[in-house]
């Protein structure tokens, strides 16, 4: 037998739950939130549930998402992750390689060239701060975002605790990472392709 007031209480509970969900969706997305969603998108792509174009587009949206609600929307139409055995994982190896290749596809939209610095300077900084060696006027770039370090004739790219991360060929930089000509490097949502020389490439200029 229905108890008077049960319907009202249930509706009130549902309303409170909806309000809580909306509040959660409005919370600012963290780097960990973005990485988790990109990892799940990669798994779904490897399972064949996303086309390469859709996967690449969703990765780009995830990288630029400001709120958790934007990230939730990228997974809303996908099935829950499933457990697969080792044999199936081996069979999916080629699909995973396709996923890794497509993960950096968003960086291949005619990125601007970036010339590796010349001269004796050993460290070059990148960020929005005018004092950086390379200043980027992009709101997804932190004031002191990343640095290039010369080490034994090669270059290492390191993140300086940026908000939106530094990536090399689509993979997040968590430690000094070697870079060279042809690599795609991303600071927030701004992407460049490493070159050793090119007249039209952005030049490094020492900070004033």
């Amino acid at each position: 037998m229905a108890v008077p007031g049960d319907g009202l209480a249930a509706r009130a509970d549902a309303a409170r739950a909806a309000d809580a969900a909306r509040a959660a969706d409005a919370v600012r997305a963290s780097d960990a939130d973005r990485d988790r969603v990109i990892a799940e998108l990669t798994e779904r792509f490897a399972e064949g549930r996303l086309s390469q174009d859709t996967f690449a587009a969703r990765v780009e949206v995830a990288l630029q998402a400001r709120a958790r609600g934007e990230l939730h929307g990228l997974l809303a139409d996908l099935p829950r992750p499933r457990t697969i055995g080792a044999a199936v994982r081996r069979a999916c190896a080629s699909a995973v390689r396709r996923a890794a290749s497509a993960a950096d596809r968003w960086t291949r939209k005619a990125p601007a060239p970036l010339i590796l610095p010349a001269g004796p300077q050993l460290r070059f900084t990148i960020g929005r701060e005018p004092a950086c060696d390379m200043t980027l006027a992009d709101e997804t770039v932190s004031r002191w975002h990343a640095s290039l370090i010369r080490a034994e004739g090669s270059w290492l790219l390191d993140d300086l605790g940026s908000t939106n991360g530094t990536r090399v060929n689509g993979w997040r930089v968590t430690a000094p990472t070697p870079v060279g000509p042809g690599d795609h490097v991303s600071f927030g949502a701004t992407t460049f392709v490493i070159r050793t020389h090119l007249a039209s490439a952005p030049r490094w200029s020492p900070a004033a």
Side-chain angles (χ1 to χ4, degrees), residues 5-19:
D6 278 358
L8 291 175
R11 286 194 292 271
D13 288 343
R16 283 193 292 270
D19 289 342

Side-chain angles (χ1 to χ4, degrees), residues 43-67:
E43 290 180 11
R44 303 289 81 74
F45 175 76
E47 292 172 358
R49 298 183 182 277
L50 290 172
S51 69
Q52 182 167 317
D53 287 342
T54 300
F55 171 70
R58 293 194 185 192
V59 167
E60 183 170 6
V61 172
L63 289 169
Q64 300 185 48
R66 293 178 176 274

